[in-house]
Amino acid sequence: MTLHIETPALLFSATSLILLAYTNRFLTIAQIVRGLKQHYEQKESNKTLLEIKNLNLRLTLIRYMQMFGVLSLFLSVFAMLLLFIDLQLAGIYIFGASLFCLLLSLGISFWEISISVDALRLHLSELIEKKNN
């Protein structure tokens, strides 16, 4: 079984774009948390506190998404180095680990997006409920 050095290099652009998307999600949620914190300080409410808890979980998930994404990129580069110095079997295993880390990152991303969609649906249902009353 052989693996060419170009194969791990294919992950570069995809992983870079994924990490950029993760960072954008993180920055957006951080901005929302700051706004909710100010809102909570002005008017304490359990609903705002629950939203902050939800966002805290999402920030934690995004941190793990980023960690596994970066680890995937690191292992991909390491696999390329191993292939470059002709350590074929080690390069194959490290590249497999890189793919596994990317898979974990994407799975956590799916989980975080599901939480986000559920939170948005809750807000929409509240708006619809208010409109119907």
Side-chain angles (χ1 to χ4, degrees), residues 1 53 67:
M1 181 183 337
K53 277 185 168 182
M67 284 177 24

Side-chain angles (χ1 to χ4, degrees), residues 22-32 34 59 62:
Y22 291 169
T23 301
N24 286 338
R25 290 187 74 76
F26 175 82
L27 292 173
T28 301
I29 291 173
Q31 186 176 12
I32 293 169
R34 287 183 188 103
L59 285 172
I62 291 171

Side-chain angles (χ1 to χ4, degrees), residues 10-60:
L10 292 173
L11 282 185
F12 272 52
S13 59
T15 307
S16 298
L17 289 174
I18 287 171
L19 290 173
L20 181 62
Y22 291 169
T23 301
N24 286 338
R25 290 187 74 76
F26 175 82
L27 292 173
T28 301
I29 291 173
Q31 186 176 12
I32 293 169
V33 167
R34 287 183 188 103
L36 283 174
K37 181 181 178 279
Q38 285 179 341
H39 182 265
Y40 183 77
E41 288 172 348
Q42 293 170 357
K43 181 185 173 194
E44 292 185 14
S45 84
N46 286 336
K47 182 182 171 193
T48 304
L49 204 55
L50 288 173
E51 285 185 56
I52 291 172
K53 277 185 168 182
N54 178 290
L55 291 170
N56 187 42
L57 171 62
R58 290 177 56 200
L59 285 172
T60 301

